[in-house]
Amino acid sequence: MTEKRVDDASPTLVVGASGTVGRHVGLQLAAAGVRVRTLTPRDLLDPTSLEAAAQGVGAVLLGWPHPTADAAADAVGVLAREVGRVVFLSSAVPGRPEGAIEALLARSGVRHTVLRAYGFAAALQWAEQIRSEGAVRGYGGAAGLNPVDERDIAAVAVRALVEDGHEGARYLLTGPESPTQAEQVGIIGEATGRPAKWEEIPRETARHRMSATGRTRAAIDSTLDFIHARITAPEPATTTVQDITGNPARTFRAWATDHAALFR
Ligand SMILES: NC(=O)c1ccc[n+]([C@@H]2O[C@H](COP(=O)([O-])OP(=O)(O)OC[C@H]3O[C@@H](n4cnc5c(N)ncnc54)[C@H](OP(=O)(O)O)[C@@H]3O)[C@@H](O)[C@H]2O)c1
């Protein structure tokens, strides 16, 4: 792999620099001496703001934490015109808008790399329930989705942003093992020293909850079907984090130990 010099004068644009992965990407780029410019995901929806932020940018870390791909065509169009390279934080779970954005990137002709994950180790959506009740109510406790540590995603993203040789790649990033969702909650309990357990809810209740996020019924069903299928076929681990960064992917237990304070 040919290394592009990281002292390239062009700044790198980080969308969602306060976010789970974006925060680490910004810090790791700055530590490598790369100039960083930031943009909120809301400004992605406004072509004028995006156009201004993208001027003179070499590479962009793109996240799309929006419930639909509406307005994505305009955003991708601006990026394809203005920036040399896009690294997209995507999802390996079907029924989400990321698939449409991957297709837009491919059609736009911009050089890009796709980083897909099943789920982030950052199980912050469980934090409040674990803190207050020592339990998480959810669907598919027996599903093994293989969470990946956001620091490992960030390390791969930084490589793809600053090095040549990743264009066109679709990397599937996972942790080294596939604990079920119920096991993940148990691991968090062990890390905090206060037991935590999974309480299964019916699929219909899960669908109702997810409808509050603005996603369509078909998209929600597709995600729920995927989770159900992971009960009998847990997601296998990939070696991509180690292949790209040279360091083994962190375990979910390591993530939980490092972040136990969030769950106490
Ligand atoms: N979370 C996962 O498990 C997961 C799994 C696979 C792929 N991904 C991908 O990773 C990327 C980041 O997703 P994320 O959910 O984890 O985001 P996140 O890190 O929680 O948030 C990223 C940024 O988006 C902002 N944000 C969050 N929700 C928003 C919304 N609905 N509208 C506008 N701004 C919003 C946050 O700013 P504020 O804090 O200021 O609101 C933050 O700066 C996305 O492209 C997603 O597809 C996530």
Side-chain angles (χ1 to χ4, degrees):
M1 190 179 307
T2 321
E3 290 229 351
K4 184 181 174 189
R5 292 180 64 79
V6 291
D7 60 355
D8 185 333
S10 314
T12 292
L13 180 65
V14 177
V15 175
S18 67
T20 316
V21 174
R23 169 170 8 122
H24 293 285
V25 171
L27 290 171
Q28 291 180 24
L29 286 171
V34 178
R35 281 201 296 143
V36 174
R37 198 181 282 174
T38 63
L39 187 76
T40 71
R42 266 169 207 86
D43 286 333
L44 269 181
L45 306 179
D46 171 20
T48 310
S49 303
L50 177 58
E51 189 112 36
Q55 295 281 325
V57 158
V60 59
L61 176 78
L62 176 64
W64 194 269
H66 301 292
T68 71
D70 297 351
D74 285 346
V76 169
V78 171
L79 294 177
R81 269 201 312 280
E82 300 291 343
V83 311
R85 169 183 290 173
V86 176
V87 175
F88 177 48
L89 288 178
S90 190
S91 174
V93 178
R96 297 176 51 99
E98 290 86 344
I101 293 158
E102 287 189 21
L104 287 167
L105 286 167
R107 278 204 297 276
S108 76
V110 69
R111 288 187 295 162
H112 67 282
T113 307
V114 170
L115 309 183
R116 295 184 183 136
Y118 293 109
F120 296 166
L124 304 179
Q125 74 281 7
W126 294 338
E128 162 129 30
Q129 285 186 78
I130 291 180
R131 277 197 304 265
S132 60
E133 302 167 47
V136 171
R137 278 181 292 283
Y139 174 75
L145 294 183
N146 203 326
V148 57
D149 193 300
E150 59 274 13
R151 296 166 292 187
D152 291 330
I153 304 175
V156 173
V158 167
R159 293 299 193 101
L161 286 165
V162 304
E163 290 176 355
D164 291 330
H166 301 283
E167 280 82 19
R170 269 101 182 89
Y171 293 133
L172 177 57
L173 307 181
T174 72
E177 57 207 9
S178 303
T180 66
Q181 296 196 84
E183 286 166 347
Q184 291 171 37
V185 171
I187 289 169
I188 291 172
E190 287 164 28
T192 61
R194 215 182 116 224
K197 63 175 193 300
W198 182 271
E199 288 174 7
E200 189 73 14
I201 62 171
R203 180 177 168 127
E204 197 47 47
T205 310
R207 183 192 281 131
H208 181 70
R209 268 199 206 165
M210 289 165 80
S211 63
T213 63
R215 295 169 59 197
T216 65
R217 184 171 174 127
I220 291 168
D221 274 332
S222 169
T223 297
L224 292 172
D225 287 347
F226 179 82
I227 292 171
H228 184 74
R230 303 285 78 72
I231 294 173
T232 48
E235 287 308 330
T238 67
T239 58
T240 315
V241 168
Q242 173 134 28
D243 296 344
I244 309 268
T245 68
N247 297 313
R250 293 171 173 89
T251 62
F252 183 75
R253 188 173 294 279
W255 184 89
T257 303
D258 291 347
H259 298 83
L262 298 174
F263 298 89
R264 285 197 182 105

